[in-house]
Amino acid sequence: MREVRVVLKPVDRDNWRAMVRLNLRPGQERFVSPPAWSLCRVYVRVFGDRFEYLPMTISDGDTIVGYVTLVCDPASLDDYWIDDIMIDAIYQGRGYGRAAMKVVLEMIPKRYPRCRTIKLTCFRENGNAAALYESLGFKATGQTDDMFHEPIYALEVGRAETPRKRRRKASTRIS
């Protein structure tokens, strides 16, 4: 199987229609907002004005296979949310979700240098998503979100510290 590579592209006037045509498998509707609903939440800034809202399509070449919406407070250390992520029903099970999550997890700390924690909510009944998130290092926090009362997962973002140069001990040379 080929390695799946995806690109995140901001939702714009050229791709929003393709985004809102994405579909879930029957029974998954309760786990993620429909794409149009996610765009509406972005437009009204449902979580407040201090957040940046980043709706993006997930593409494999010219094909839009899903979408992700990030909601981030650039002034905080730990208010960086993967608000929604969805892979279209016909593309599920091919590695696009994992590939997209990896790109998102790389992108957030680059865009937001203050970020120390990335969070998301995962519905208890969505075992496949929970297994994916846990395999990427997310851990259940024991807290639940206010809207759905579902578990919050968090990933601590490591910061590589610049290694300190060791001082060499002066060697004594005996001649």
Side-chain angles (χ1 to χ4, degrees), residues 1-6 60 94-96 99 102:
M1 186 153 86
R2 74 176 178 92
E3 182 182 349
V4 175
R5 294 183 187 266
V6 297
D60 180 359
R94 299 183 189 183
Y96 287 113
K102 287 180 177 180

Side-chain angles (χ1 to χ4, degrees), residues 110-164:
K110 284 182 181 175
R111 182 176 177 106
Y112 303 103
R114 293 181 54 86
C115 176
R116 297 297 180 267
T117 306
I118 299 170
K119 298 177 185 174
L120 54 79
T121 300
C122 184
F123 283 72
R124 287 175 187 88
E125 295 125 25
N126 196 350
N128 289 341
L132 170 64
Y133 303 144
E134 289 172 350
S135 75
L136 294 169
F138 281 87
K139 298 195 181 342
T141 65
Q143 299 173 316
T144 59
D145 75 314
D146 295 334
M147 187 177 295
F148 299 107
H149 308 289
E150 294 290 345
I152 294 173
Y153 287 71
L155 175 70
E156 300 301 317
V157 178
R159 291 285 183 226
E161 293 187 26
T162 309
R164 295 182 183 170

Side-chain angles (χ1 to χ4, degrees), residues 35 61 82 169:
I82 301 171
K169 290 184 179 180

Side-chain angles (χ1 to χ4, degrees), residues 166-172:
R166 289 186 177 180
R167 291 185 181 175
R168 286 187 164 177
K169 290 184 179 180
S171 59
T172 311

Side-chain angles (χ1 to χ4, degrees), residues 19 22 32-35 38 56-58 66-69 84-86:
M19 177 185 161
L22 296 168
V32 65
S33 298
S38 190
M56 296 173 283
T57 60
I58 301 166
Y67 83 93
V68 61
T69 301
D84 281 317
I85 184 164
M86 174 194 156

